[in-house]
Amino acid sequence: MFKFDDIDKKILNRIQSAFPITERPYLSIAKELGLSEKLVIEKIKNLKEKGIIRRIGANFVPEKLGFVSTLCAAKVPVNNISEFSKTVNSYEGVTHNYLRDHEYNVWFTFIAKSEEEIAENLKKISEETGIESILNLPAINVYKVRAQFDI
């Protein structure tokens, strides 16, 4: 298990929202946190390499840009969770992937240009992983909740 130091925690808490839109966003973050730009970049690179940070990017409302989104739930044997998650995370349209204490224990969100594309990708994931029980749960109503985790 990865051990966070205080600087990792400060950086992770800072970059979760209101990411600076500047020529040098890491310099802006460094100045805010009283760190060097080089250290911030090194720490983020390390957190990405360790799999703590999967992606840094904008969030958008898929429907307003002509995309569709869905919530998926998979029934994955405990000894296959890591490999399954790695496969799921390799798909560009996956934005979140998390464990739940439930029969369907791996949940993830998927965004694509069409419902057909999502269905095709879920079929591919099933074929690649051998996991047959993957639910596709498209949203009927969308509620945006700001998720900010205090590390």
Side-chain angles (χ1 to χ4, degrees), residues 78-144:
V78 174
N79 60 331
N80 291 8
I81 289 173
S82 180
E83 195 59 38
F84 180 82
S85 294
K86 192 179 202 178
T87 299
V88 166
N89 289 344
S90 73
Y91 283 77
E92 191 174 287
V94 173
T95 60
H96 298 79
N97 183 348
Y98 51 95
L99 285 172
R100 295 193 63 181
D101 185 18
H102 187 271
E103 176 182 10
Y104 284 86
N105 52 347
V106 178
W107 292 63
F108 55 98
T109 55
F110 215 121
I111 297 172
K113 292 180 181 174
S114 68
E115 291 178 22
E116 293 77 24
E117 183 179 335
I118 289 173
E120 288 170 21
N121 284 326
L122 293 178
K123 184 178 179 197
K124 287 179 190 173
I125 290 170
S126 183
E127 290 167 356
E128 289 175 43
T129 63
I131 302 300
E132 295 180 8
S133 192
I134 303 175
L135 302 177
N136 181 355
L137 307 163
I140 295 169
N141 296 309
V142 177
Y143 301 94
K144 289 289 181 187

Side-chain angles (χ1 to χ4, degrees), residues 32-94:
E32 275 182 51
L33 300 178
L35 304 169
S36 73
E37 180 184 30
K38 182 180 177 187
L39 180 60
V40 169
I41 290 169
E42 286 172 5
K43 287 291 200 173
I44 289 175
K45 182 180 178 192
N46 184 49
L47 290 164
K48 285 188 83 168
E49 287 171 357
K50 299 287 185 205
I52 305 301
I53 297 173
R54 187 172 66 84
R55 170 187 172 276
I56 294 177
N59 288 325
F60 59 90
V61 179
E63 297 76 23
K64 290 191 178 193
L65 297 174
F67 288 77
V68 294
S69 64
T70 192
L71 177 63
C72 304
K75 196 185 301 186
V76 183
V78 174
N79 60 331
N80 291 8
I81 289 173
S82 180
E83 195 59 38
F84 180 82
S85 294
K86 192 179 202 178
T87 299
V88 166
N89 289 344
S90 73
Y91 283 77
E92 191 174 287
V94 173

